[in-house]
Amino acid sequence: MVWNQADARAVVGEVNRKGALFIVEVDEITTPYTSDTNGRKLSPDTPYAGSHRFVFERGGDDWRLVQDLTDQLSK
């Protein structure tokens, strides 16, 4: 079996605004898919989930990722 592709979904949870910064919590579920060496017989593998905390800054119509605070979630 070889890794072939993945299906990922993200759900935005809590959003906190601090001035021009937005702290966003995101939960994601990713399902990897494997296939045989010819790319056939695609089948889902065990899904995994993760939680993330990101800081974004808004400038006009653009958003910029400022910091990844995901490591703070496990503390």
Side-chain angles (χ1 to χ4, degrees):
M1 292 294 199
V2 295
W3 182 86
N4 190 300
Q5 65 186 33
D7 177 31
R9 284 182 280 161
V11 177
V12 175
E14 190 174 329
V15 177
N16 292 304
R17 183 177 184 179
K18 293 187 177 184
L21 300 178
F22 293 80
I23 300 170
V24 181
E25 304 221 359
V26 178
D27 292 319
E28 58 96 7
I29 296 176
T30 301
T31 304
Y33 287 82
T34 56
S35 68
D36 62 16
T37 55
N38 296 317
R40 297 185 186 105
K41 298 182 182 176
L42 194 63
S43 63
D45 208 338
T46 304
Y48 56 90
S51 295
H52 308 278
R53 181 179 289 152
F54 301 115
V55 180
F56 291 95
E57 180 177 50
R58 186 170 186 182
D61 291 337
D62 295 327
W63 291 89
R64 181 174 73 89
L65 177 63
V66 176
Q67 191 172 9
D68 183 348
L69 301 176
T70 300
D71 61 335
Q72 291 183 359
L73 293 174
S74 60
K75 294 179 181 178

